[in-house]
Amino acid sequence: MMRSDADFMSEAYTEAQKGLEEGGLPIGAILVRDGEIIGRGHNQRVQKADPILHGEMACMQNAGRQASYKGTVMYTTLSPCMMCTGTIIQFGVPRVVIGESVNFKGYQDVLALAGTEVKDMHDPACIDMMADFIRHHPSLWNEDIGH
């Protein structure tokens, strides 16, 4: 059975919820190759006091070393920041599916300019989760995005 973008985004959303439950930011990501999840992660910047452990970075780290990222898809609940965008471009992830870009536009335009296929799902659950977090934790959010 072929899983849809919505199915995989649901997995990324579950990762985001883990981050929230751990006292961190609700941003999750998964990396998929040929319909199989090869990596998953969530923002752990607060939990591990690591400024670069964003959801996408944790996902890439957990996927481990790959000879190639051809044929992979990164699913992330929030439009990637410049650091995560750079990592996606650096390793040649050809497709990125974004849960939302309402609360943070991110650098999906840079991804597209680099030749990465980008799909923004405008997912209401992702939008609401991030908006609620920003409303209740504005200083933590601003710290995460470097403001």
Side-chain angles (χ1 to χ4, degrees):
M1 176 177 80
M2 189 68 159
R3 295 176 70 185
S4 69
D5 286 341
D7 293 332
F8 288 121
M9 187 56 65
S10 177
E11 295 279 349
Y13 184 87
T14 298
E15 284 295 321
Q17 288 180 310
K18 288 180 188 176
L20 187 60
E21 290 165 6
E22 295 170 358
L25 283 86
I27 304 166
I30 62 165
L31 188 65
V32 174
R33 175 182 280 126
D34 298 325
E36 297 293 323
I37 297 171
I38 62 170
R40 57 178 64 239
H42 55 276
N43 187 304
Q44 296 176 61
R45 196 181 56 75
V46 172
Q47 301 91 309
K48 295 191 176 182
D50 185 337
I52 64 169
L53 205 48
H54 285 197
E56 299 90 341
M57 302 297 274
C59 177
M60 295 288 281
Q61 186 177 57
N62 291 332
R65 184 175 166 199
Q66 303 289 314
S68 170
Y69 290 86
K70 290 181 181 172
T72 62
V73 181
M74 171 73 72
Y75 290 84
T76 178
T77 58
L78 186 66
S79 186
C81 72
M82 181 56 81
M83 175 180 64
C84 296
T85 294
T87 300
I88 290 165
I89 293 169
Q90 173 71 29
F91 291 102
V93 175
R95 183 169 187 254
V96 177
V97 179
I98 297 166
E100 72 108 339
S101 61
V102 172
N103 292 292
F104 181 69
K105 174 67 173 144
Y107 293 87
Q108 60 198 51
D109 294 344
V110 174
L111 286 168
L113 283 171
T116 305
E117 178 188 340
V118 178
K119 177 181 179 180
D120 189 338
M121 295 182 68
H122 307 287
D123 182 86
C126 291
I127 294 168
D128 291 346
M129 178 175 55
M130 200 70 236
D132 187 59
F133 180 83
I134 293 168
R135 186 172 35 260
H136 289 98
H137 306 282
S139 62
L140 190 55
W141 167 246
N142 286 328
E143 180 186 323
D144 195 67
I145 59 171
H147 288 173

